[in-house]
Amino acid sequence: MLREASWLTRRLPALARDATLLRRHTATLPAHRAAAALLVGTLLIALIGVWRLPAAHATVPTASPAAAPVATTAPLHVTPARVAEPAHATYIVQPGDTLWDIAEQHLGDPLSWPKIYQLSCSIRQSDGALLADPDHIQPGWRLHLPVHNAPSPHPPQPSTETPAPPPRTSTPAPEPEEHQTPGRGEHEDEQRQTDRQQQERRPAQEHRPVTIPLGAASAIGVTTAAGIAAALGFARWHATRRRTPRLDSLAMPLEDDDLQLGDALHRSNQASLANRATRHHNPDVLARRTAPADPGQPGTVTIAERAGREVRIDALAVPGGVHLDGPGAEDAARHLLIAIASAAQRLRPAPPCVQLLTDADTVRRLLAGTDVSVPAWTVTSDIAAAVEVAEHALLEHARHEQRLDTEVLEHGAPALHVLLVDGQRHGEDEGRLRALAARAGAGQLAVVTLGGWRDAAQQRLAIADDGTATGPLTALNDVTMFLLAPETAHELVQGLLAAHGHPAGSPDATDAQDPEPEPTTEPQRPDKPRPSRKSPAPASVQEAGPFGPVRLVLLGGFKLLVHGKECKLADTRKEETREFIALLAAHPGGLRGEEIAEKMQLADDPTEMKADLENLRRAARRVFRSATGKKEVAFVTLSGPIHRLDPQYISTDVTAFTKALTAATRADSPHERATALQRATALYTGQLCDGADYLWAQGLRIALHRRAVDALMLLAEHTAQQSADPEPALALLNQAADLDPENERVYRRIIKLQITVGRDDAAHRTLALLTDRLASIDASPEPATLALLNRAPPTRRTAAGGTPIRR
């Protein structure tokens, strides 16, 4: 009784405003404490009502009975139009809104939130719910706002009780975690977390940035970052085409694939992933770092930022052309090169919407050491050739406008051509360049020059070191140009070249000119000794035994199995809880709190981050305890700063998959190795956390996927060597081709097997399938693959390993 009386007394003002607070509080308590809270709370509410009654009568003015009829009679000089005014205005709740913020923005006084609450309590919302708690409003709900009336010349005196904002923390501080009864205080934790996120939302979340910093003196737009992320996807596909599996690589640590990228590529790719990941998260549940804004449509090229919006390249397409000047001119020109090249990646295999025209000297000036161009660039030997190509581009636009072309264009119109030249090297082409610039226009041609020369008709754009641009162009007033330093631009160029099959810039490419080694099932033993295959793994990373009650399936999706049966719980539908559980399951060795915050992009504030981790940990425990009924088990252990899933009670398919691969590399016989590979391939049922755009999952997803394909190829090679029947090996290779449709090494091995057993027609069909699938990544089969079908078939039919087929 004393404990509940103390709790309710501290929250007496909130209890006076909202009687549902008592009901929510008693719903989380044991029976004896709920009865005590109900008794004390009812008594306090009754006392409040008795206290308010005299106060209300004291404010009623004294009036004589004769004056009563006058008070109920309408005045003669009241304007009739006042009766027709609406009693309220309708407002649709937006994500992140609170009654306090809505009252402040639309009523001018945040303390007026009770008026909105009183007008909106009886509204039946689209989801059938009613507004019963001022602290909980959902996006899409309709609220009624009181209409502002003209201020009275004699405003009434304020009442003795001033309305206060909705309580931000309506629950007591939780007890230390190790002393709490399982399940107790969980509702208060969720309530506290939601209140904090709704009431203390940072304004930065409402204005998502469009600029991505890439180091000193380098910044790109979010649209360019999306193009670079697309280029990295193509680079990985090209690297996969040349990947030859090795048995010893199966046991290598699962490292994040993106960590192999340079700093600039990693940052731009992370920005694009963070933008996609926000679509799966509820901002009212967990505070996240502000993700970049949505990029422009595929094919869009942006050059600057103004007031939180990207400025498109059309701002440069003006008659007379634009001359870039100032200390930041070359950095802005470098970004222009990269932005045009990266925009084309999001359209492949379709042609680009913006085409760059330049000469080799200008490219060498801006990007020293770059001798290869991407398809979105047309690099000519000199300026005269570039001007000639630009003139032909204008003719194409003229023919299109006059409807003289019979060919249907991919984008409905010819591409915008951007002519970028060094003005100091114009030489004898000054007249042609000036005449061409005079014909520049939006959607057709933009002429941009660098250097000391500038025509009088050109618009001068002075760019400072920080990207601030000044000049007469209205479209570029008060903008900050995106800039790229030479080193950063060179790194991005290497990534773009890797997207087109140049292995030097690929994240993990091999040399395309090296002869292809045959897959081998024999491990390459390192020089230094390694632990015996029978040595047990550390206790912290051991997989749960067969009696573990919970099994998490991450490959192919997210499933929670309890004693072999899938368990669907309401709490697992919360994306943040599911992501937290999946993150720990993918890292059986555990993660530090800072690592979890970095991978899940939690709030930067240490206090807020600690509270979010605590709420995630409690929510995960609630999921496992509800599924198993074991209230006394922690399931999520906290050893110092390390968070991990208790391997004694929870097993995962990711751990079993990696252990099977490790067993294959340490097997002493081909039979044991094949058995381990079969176990690994059976466990891989799909990509890690398939269907969820978790920021941290991409690198692990790629690593696990490649190991599964390698395991299938190695198992197929072993099967072909041990069996005279090619069908089992072909089935495994076809399964690998389905998992990795662009892996040319897999198709090459299939074709070799088919030719070996005399199935030339099937080999031709396999090559046709490979050609179609490579066309989707803007590629074609390598000469080595095409040469397989030009060789004469062997006179004697043998199996893949050279063993004669036994009939």
Side-chain angles (χ1 to χ4, degrees), residues 270-321:
Q270 289 293 95
S272 180
L273 292 176
N275 171 271
R276 284 170 33 195
T278 55
R279 305 171 190 173
H280 289 268
H281 300 308
N282 181 3
D284 294 335
V285 176
L286 198 66
R288 299 272 182 159
R289 296 176 189 171
T290 304
D294 294 329
Q297 294 295 325
T300 303
V301 178
T302 59
I303 58 172
E305 179 266 338
R306 175 172 54 196
R309 295 181 180 273
E310 294 184 278
V311 179
R312 298 178 60 174
I313 196 173
D314 301 87
L316 299 176
V318 295

Short mmCIF file of all heavy atoms in Angstrom, two decimals, residues 270-321:
data_model
loop_
_atom_site.label_atom_id
_atom_site.label_comp_id
_atom_site.label_asym_id
_atom_site.label_seq_id
_atom_site.Cartn_x
_atom_site.Cartn_y
_atom_site.Cartn_z
N GLN A 270 27.45 2.70 -47.77
CA GLN A 270 26.72 2.69 -46.51
C GLN A 270 25.59 3.71 -46.51
O GLN A 270 24.52 3.46 -45.96
CB GLN A 270 27.68 2.96 -45.35
CG GLN A 270 28.65 1.82 -45.06
CD GLN A 270 27.96 0.57 -44.54
OE1 GLN A 270 27.64 -0.33 -45.31
NE2 GLN A 270 27.72 0.52 -43.27
N ALA A 271 25.83 4.86 -47.12
CA ALA A 271 24.77 5.86 -47.18
C ALA A 271 23.58 5.36 -47.99
O ALA A 271 22.42 5.57 -47.62
CB ALA A 271 25.32 7.15 -47.79
N SER A 272 23.86 4.68 -49.09
CA SER A 272 22.76 4.13 -49.90
C SER A 272 22.03 3.03 -49.16
O SER A 272 20.79 2.95 -49.20
CB SER A 272 23.31 3.61 -51.23
OG SER A 272 22.29 3.08 -52.04
N LEU A 273 22.76 2.17 -48.45
CA LEU A 273 22.13 1.10 -47.69
C LEU A 273 21.30 1.66 -46.55
O LEU A 273 20.21 1.15 -46.25
CB LEU A 273 23.19 0.15 -47.15
CG LEU A 273 23.96 -0.69 -48.19
CD1 LEU A 273 25.04 -1.50 -47.51
CD2 LEU A 273 23.02 -1.59 -48.96
N ALA A 274 21.79 2.70 -45.89
CA ALA A 274 21.05 3.30 -44.78
C ALA A 274 19.74 3.89 -45.27
O ALA A 274 18.72 3.84 -44.58
CB ALA A 274 21.89 4.38 -44.11
N ASN A 275 19.74 4.43 -46.47
CA ASN A 275 18.50 4.97 -47.03
C ASN A 275 17.48 3.88 -47.25
O ASN A 275 16.30 4.03 -46.95
CB ASN A 275 18.81 5.70 -48.34
CG ASN A 275 17.57 6.11 -49.09
OD1 ASN A 275 17.05 5.34 -49.91
ND2 ASN A 275 17.09 7.31 -48.84
N ARG A 276 17.93 2.72 -47.76
CA ARG A 276 17.01 1.60 -47.99
C ARG A 276 16.54 0.99 -46.68
O ARG A 276 15.40 0.58 -46.55
CB ARG A 276 17.70 0.53 -48.84
CG ARG A 276 17.82 0.88 -50.30
CD ARG A 276 18.71 -0.10 -51.03
NE ARG A 276 18.63 -1.44 -50.50
CZ ARG A 276 19.54 -2.40 -50.78
NH1 ARG A 276 20.55 -2.13 -51.55
NH2 ARG A 276 19.39 -3.59 -50.28
N ALA A 277 17.44 0.95 -45.69
CA ALA A 277 17.10 0.29 -44.42
C ALA A 277 16.01 1.04 -43.66
O ALA A 277 15.28 0.43 -42.88
CB ALA A 277 18.34 0.14 -43.55
N THR A 278 15.88 2.35 -43.87
CA THR A 278 14.89 3.11 -43.12
C THR A 278 13.47 2.70 -43.49
O THR A 278 12.53 2.95 -42.73
CB THR A 278 15.05 4.61 -43.40
OG1 THR A 278 15.00 4.85 -44.82
CG2 THR A 278 16.37 5.12 -42.86
N ARG A 279 13.26 2.07 -44.61
CA ARG A 279 11.91 1.67 -45.01
C ARG A 279 11.37 0.56 -44.12
O ARG A 279 10.16 0.33 -44.09
CB ARG A 279 11.92 1.20 -46.47
CG ARG A 279 12.49 2.24 -47.43
CD ARG A 279 12.67 1.64 -48.82
NE ARG A 279 13.43 2.55 -49.67
CZ ARG A 279 13.84 2.23 -50.89
NH1 ARG A 279 13.56 1.05 -51.40
NH2 ARG A 279 14.53 3.09 -51.62
N HIS A 280 12.24 -0.14 -43.39
CA HIS A 280 11.80 -1.26 -42.57
C HIS A 280 11.69 -0.91 -41.10
O HIS A 280 11.37 -1.76 -40.30
CB HIS A 280 12.78 -2.44 -42.73
CG HIS A 280 12.71 -3.09 -44.07
ND1 HIS A 280 11.90 -4.17 -44.34
CD2 HIS A 280 13.33 -2.79 -45.23
CE1 HIS A 280 12.04 -4.53 -45.61
NE2 HIS A 280 12.92 -3.71 -46.16
N HIS A 281 11.97 0.34 -40.76
CA HIS A 281 12.03 0.68 -39.34
C HIS A 281 10.92 1.65 -38.98
O HIS A 281 10.54 2.51 -39.76
CB HIS A 281 13.39 1.29 -39.00
CG HIS A 281 14.54 0.38 -39.28
ND1 HIS A 281 14.58 -0.90 -38.80
CD2 HIS A 281 15.67 0.55 -39.99
CE1 HIS A 281 15.69 -1.47 -39.20
NE2 HIS A 281 16.37 -0.61 -39.93
N ASN A 282 10.42 1.49 -37.77
CA ASN A 282 9.38 2.36 -37.25
C ASN A 282 10.06 3.43 -36.39
O ASN A 282 10.61 3.13 -35.34
CB ASN A 282 8.39 1.56 -36.40
CG ASN A 282 7.28 2.43 -35.86
OD1 ASN A 282 7.20 3.62 -36.15
ND2 ASN A 282 6.41 1.84 -35.07
N PRO A 283 10.07 4.69 -36.83
CA PRO A 283 10.79 5.72 -36.06
C PRO A 283 10.20 5.98 -34.69
O PRO A 283 10.84 6.60 -33.86
CB PRO A 283 10.68 6.95 -36.97
CG PRO A 283 9.47 6.70 -37.81
CD PRO A 283 9.41 5.22 -38.02
N ASP A 284 8.96 5.54 -34.44
CA ASP A 284 8.34 5.75 -33.12
C ASP A 284 8.78 4.72 -32.10
O ASP A 284 8.44 4.83 -30.93
CB ASP A 284 6.82 5.72 -33.24
CG ASP A 284 6.29 6.89 -34.05
OD1 ASP A 284 7.00 7.91 -34.09
OD2 ASP A 284 5.21 6.77 -34.63
N VAL A 285 9.49 3.68 -32.54
CA VAL A 285 9.89 2.61 -31.64
C VAL A 285 11.33 2.76 -31.18
O VAL A 285 11.65 2.57 -30.02
CB VAL A 285 9.68 1.24 -32.32
CG1 VAL A 285 10.19 0.12 -31.43
CG2 VAL A 285 8.23 1.04 -32.65
N LEU A 286 12.23 3.14 -32.09
CA LEU A 286 13.65 3.16 -31.78
C LEU A 286 14.28 4.37 -32.46
O LEU A 286 13.99 4.66 -33.61
CB LEU A 286 14.31 1.87 -32.26
CG LEU A 286 15.68 1.54 -31.66
CD1 LEU A 286 15.54 1.25 -30.18
CD2 LEU A 286 16.27 0.32 -32.37
N ALA A 287 15.13 5.06 -31.73
CA ALA A 287 15.83 6.22 -32.29
C ALA A 287 16.96 5.74 -33.19
O ALA A 287 17.82 4.99 -32.75
CB ALA A 287 16.37 7.10 -31.17
N ARG A 288 16.96 6.18 -34.42
CA ARG A 288 18.01 5.82 -35.37
C ARG A 288 18.76 7.07 -35.80
O ARG A 288 18.24 8.19 -35.72
CB ARG A 288 17.38 5.17 -36.61
CG ARG A 288 16.62 3.89 -36.30
CD ARG A 288 17.52 2.70 -36.34
NE ARG A 288 16.78 1.48 -36.09
CZ ARG A 288 17.21 0.27 -36.45
NH1 ARG A 288 18.35 0.15 -37.07
NH2 ARG A 288 16.50 -0.80 -36.18
N ARG A 289 19.95 6.86 -36.26
CA ARG A 289 20.67 7.97 -36.87
C ARG A 289 19.92 8.41 -38.12
O ARG A 289 19.35 7.60 -38.84
CB ARG A 289 22.08 7.54 -37.24
CG ARG A 289 22.93 7.17 -36.03
CD ARG A 289 24.28 6.66 -36.43
NE ARG A 289 24.99 6.12 -35.28
CZ ARG A 289 26.13 5.45 -35.37
NH1 ARG A 289 26.69 5.25 -36.55
NH2 ARG A 289 26.71 4.99 -34.28
N THR A 290 19.98 9.69 -38.36
CA THR A 290 19.25 10.24 -39.49
C THR A 290 19.82 9.70 -40.79
O THR A 290 21.00 9.91 -41.10
CB THR A 290 19.32 11.77 -39.47
OG1 THR A 290 18.82 12.24 -38.22
CG2 THR A 290 18.49 12.35 -40.59
N ALA A 291 19.00 8.99 -41.55
CA ALA A 291 19.44 8.43 -42.82
C ALA A 291 19.37 9.48 -43.91
O ALA A 291 18.61 10.45 -43.81
CB ALA A 291 18.55 7.24 -43.20
N PRO A 292 20.15 9.33 -44.97
CA PRO A 292 20.08 10.30 -46.07
C PRO A 292 18.70 10.31 -46.71
O PRO A 292 17.91 9.37 -46.57
CB PRO A 292 21.15 9.80 -47.05
CG PRO A 292 22.05 8.93 -46.24
CD PRO A 292 21.19 8.31 -45.18
N ALA A 293 18.42 11.38 -47.41
CA ALA A 293 17.15 11.50 -48.11
C ALA A 293 17.08 10.51 -49.27
O ALA A 293 18.08 9.88 -49.64
CB ALA A 293 16.97 12.93 -48.62
N ASP A 294 15.91 10.37 -49.84
CA ASP A 294 15.73 9.47 -50.97
C ASP A 294 16.46 10.02 -52.20
O ASP A 294 16.39 11.22 -52.48
CB ASP A 294 14.25 9.32 -51.31
CG ASP A 294 13.49 8.62 -50.19
OD1 ASP A 294 14.11 7.78 -49.51
OD2 ASP A 294 12.30 8.92 -50.00
N PRO A 295 17.17 9.17 -52.94
CA PRO A 295 17.87 9.66 -54.13
C PRO A 295 16.89 9.98 -55.25
O PRO A 295 15.72 9.60 -55.21
CB PRO A 295 18.78 8.48 -54.51
CG PRO A 295 18.08 7.28 -53.96
CD PRO A 295 17.39 7.74 -52.71
N GLY A 296 17.39 10.70 -56.25
CA GLY A 296 16.58 11.01 -57.41
C GLY A 296 16.30 9.78 -58.24
O GLY A 296 16.81 8.68 -57.99
N GLN A 297 15.46 9.93 -59.25
CA GLN A 297 15.11 8.82 -60.13
C GLN A 297 16.36 8.27 -60.83
O GLN A 297 17.33 9.00 -61.05
CB GLN A 297 14.09 9.28 -61.17
CG GLN A 297 12.75 9.67 -60.59
CD GLN A 297 12.04 8.47 -59.96
OE1 GLN A 297 12.15 7.35 -60.44
NE2 GLN A 297 11.31 8.72 -58.88
N PRO A 298 16.37 6.97 -61.18
CA PRO A 298 17.53 6.42 -61.90
C PRO A 298 17.83 7.23 -63.15
O PRO A 298 16.93 7.60 -63.91
CB PRO A 298 17.08 4.99 -62.24
CG PRO A 298 16.08 4.65 -61.18
CD PRO A 298 15.36 5.94 -60.87
N GLY A 299 19.10 7.49 -63.36
CA GLY A 299 19.54 8.30 -64.48
C GLY A 299 19.73 9.76 -64.16
O GLY A 299 20.32 10.50 -64.94
N THR A 300 19.26 10.20 -62.99
CA THR A 300 19.39 11.61 -62.61
C THR A 300 20.83 11.92 -62.21
O THR A 300 21.47 11.14 -61.50
CB THR A 300 18.44 11.93 -61.44
OG1 THR A 300 17.11 11.60 -61.82
CG2 THR A 300 18.51 13.39 -61.07
N VAL A 301 21.33 13.06 -62.65
CA VAL A 301 22.66 13.54 -62.29
C VAL A 301 22.49 14.83 -61.50
O VAL A 301 21.82 15.76 -61.96
CB VAL A 301 23.53 13.79 -63.52
CG1 VAL A 301 24.90 14.34 -63.12
CG2 VAL A 301 23.70 12.51 -64.32
N THR A 302 23.05 14.88 -60.31
CA THR A 302 22.98 16.08 -59.47
C THR A 302 24.38 16.64 -59.27
O THR A 302 25.37 15.89 -59.24
CB THR A 302 22.33 15.77 -58.12
OG1 THR A 302 23.10 14.77 -57.44
CG2 THR A 302 20.91 15.27 -58.31
N ILE A 303 24.47 17.97 -59.10
CA ILE A 303 25.77 18.63 -59.04
C ILE A 303 25.95 19.46 -57.78
O ILE A 303 27.08 19.85 -57.47
CB ILE A 303 25.99 19.53 -60.27
CG1 ILE A 303 24.87 20.58 -60.35
CG2 ILE A 303 26.05 18.69 -61.54
CD1 ILE A 303 25.09 21.62 -61.42
N ALA A 304 24.87 19.78 -57.06
CA ALA A 304 24.98 20.68 -55.93
C ALA A 304 23.82 20.43 -54.97
O ALA A 304 22.91 19.65 -55.26
CB ALA A 304 25.00 22.14 -56.40
N GLU A 305 23.88 21.14 -53.84
CA GLU A 305 22.83 21.06 -52.81
C GLU A 305 22.42 22.46 -52.41
O GLU A 305 23.26 23.37 -52.26
CB GLU A 305 23.36 20.30 -51.60
CG GLU A 305 22.37 20.18 -50.45
CD GLU A 305 22.50 21.26 -49.40
OE1 GLU A 305 23.60 21.85 -49.33
OE2 GLU A 305 21.52 21.52 -48.67
N ARG A 306 21.11 22.63 -52.26
CA ARG A 306 20.58 23.92 -51.81
C ARG A 306 19.37 23.67 -50.93
O ARG A 306 18.40 23.04 -51.37
CB ARG A 306 20.19 24.80 -53.01
CG ARG A 306 19.52 26.12 -52.58
CD ARG A 306 19.32 27.06 -53.75
NE ARG A 306 18.58 26.41 -54.82
CZ ARG A 306 18.51 26.87 -56.07
NH1 ARG A 306 19.16 27.97 -56.39
NH2 ARG A 306 17.81 26.23 -56.97
N ALA A 307 19.44 24.15 -49.69
CA ALA A 307 18.33 24.08 -48.75
C ALA A 307 17.80 22.65 -48.61
O ALA A 307 16.60 22.43 -48.61
CB ALA A 307 17.21 25.02 -49.18
N GLY A 308 18.72 21.69 -48.49
CA GLY A 308 18.30 20.31 -48.28
C GLY A 308 17.80 19.60 -49.52
O GLY A 308 17.22 18.52 -49.41
N ARG A 309 18.01 20.17 -50.71
CA ARG A 309 17.58 19.53 -51.96
C ARG A 309 18.74 19.52 -52.94
O ARG A 309 19.56 20.44 -52.96
CB ARG A 309 16.39 20.28 -52.57
CG ARG A 309 15.12 20.23 -51.74
CD ARG A 309 13.99 20.96 -52.42
NE ARG A 309 12.77 20.92 -51.64
CZ ARG A 309 11.88 19.94 -51.70
NH1 ARG A 309 12.08 18.94 -52.54
NH2 ARG A 309 10.80 19.96 -50.95
N GLU A 310 18.79 18.45 -53.74
CA GLU A 310 19.83 18.34 -54.75
C GLU A 310 19.47 19.16 -55.99
O GLU A 310 18.30 19.24 -56.37
CB GLU A 310 20.04 16.88 -55.13
CG GLU A 310 20.60 16.03 -53.99
CD GLU A 310 20.89 14.62 -54.43
OE1 GLU A 310 19.94 13.81 -54.45
OE2 GLU A 310 22.06 14.32 -54.78
N VAL A 311 20.48 19.74 -56.59
CA VAL A 311 20.31 20.52 -57.82
C VAL A 311 20.76 19.66 -58.99
O VAL A 311 21.87 19.12 -58.99
CB VAL A 311 21.13 21.83 -57.77
CG1 VAL A 311 20.97 22.62 -59.06
CG2 VAL A 311 20.70 22.67 -56.57
N ARG A 312 19.90 19.55 -60.00
CA ARG A 312 20.19 18.68 -61.13
C ARG A 312 21.13 19.35 -62.12
O ARG A 312 21.31 20.57 -62.12
CB ARG A 312 18.88 18.27 -61.81
CG ARG A 312 17.96 17.48 -60.89
CD ARG A 312 16.66 17.13 -61.56
NE ARG A 312 16.87 16.31 -62.75
CZ ARG A 312 15.89 15.77 -63.47
NH1 ARG A 312 14.63 15.96 -63.11
NH2 ARG A 312 16.14 15.06 -64.54
N ILE A 313 21.69 18.52 -62.99
CA ILE A 313 22.69 19.00 -63.94
C ILE A 313 22.09 19.93 -64.99
O ILE A 313 22.82 20.67 -65.66
CB ILE A 313 23.38 17.80 -64.61
CG1 ILE A 313 24.68 18.24 -65.29
CG2 ILE A 313 22.44 17.11 -65.59
CD1 ILE A 313 25.50 17.10 -65.84
N ASP A 314 20.78 19.95 -65.13
CA ASP A 314 20.14 20.83 -66.11
C ASP A 314 20.46 22.30 -65.82
O ASP A 314 20.33 23.14 -66.72
CB ASP A 314 18.63 20.61 -66.09
CG ASP A 314 18.27 19.19 -66.43
OD1 ASP A 314 18.23 18.37 -65.50
OD2 ASP A 314 18.04 18.89 -67.61
N ALA A 315 20.86 22.62 -64.58
CA ALA A 315 21.20 24.01 -64.28
C ALA A 315 22.40 24.49 -65.08
O ALA A 315 22.58 25.70 -65.24
CB ALA A 315 21.47 24.16 -62.78
N LEU A 316 23.23 23.58 -65.59
CA LEU A 316 24.40 23.96 -66.39
C LEU A 316 24.07 24.10 -67.87
O LEU A 316 24.91 24.61 -68.63
CB LEU A 316 25.52 22.94 -66.22
CG LEU A 316 26.08 22.76 -64.79
CD1 LEU A 316 27.10 21.64 -64.76
CD2 LEU A 316 26.68 24.06 -64.28
N ALA A 317 22.92 23.64 -68.30
CA ALA A 317 22.55 23.66 -69.72
C ALA A 317 21.91 25.00 -70.07
O ALA A 317 20.69 25.12 -70.17
CB ALA A 317 21.62 22.50 -70.05
N VAL A 318 22.74 26.04 -70.20
CA VAL A 318 22.26 27.38 -70.50
C VAL A 318 22.96 27.88 -71.75
O VAL A 318 24.11 27.51 -72.03
CB VAL A 318 22.51 28.34 -69.32
CG1 VAL A 318 21.70 27.93 -68.11
CG2 VAL A 318 24.00 28.39 -68.97
N PRO A 319 22.32 28.73 -72.55
CA PRO A 319 22.98 29.30 -73.75
C PRO A 319 24.25 30.06 -73.38
O PRO A 319 24.28 30.83 -72.42
CB PRO A 319 21.90 30.24 -74.32
CG PRO A 319 20.61 29.70 -73.82
CD PRO A 319 20.91 29.16 -72.46
N GLY A 320 25.27 29.82 -74.13
CA GLY A 320 26.57 30.43 -73.86
C GLY A 320 27.49 29.54 -73.05
O GLY A 320 28.70 29.73 -73.06
N GLY A 321 26.94 28.59 -72.30
CA GLY A 321 27.75 27.69 -71.51
C GLY A 321 28.10 28.26 -70.15
O GLY A 321 27.74 29.39 -69.80
#
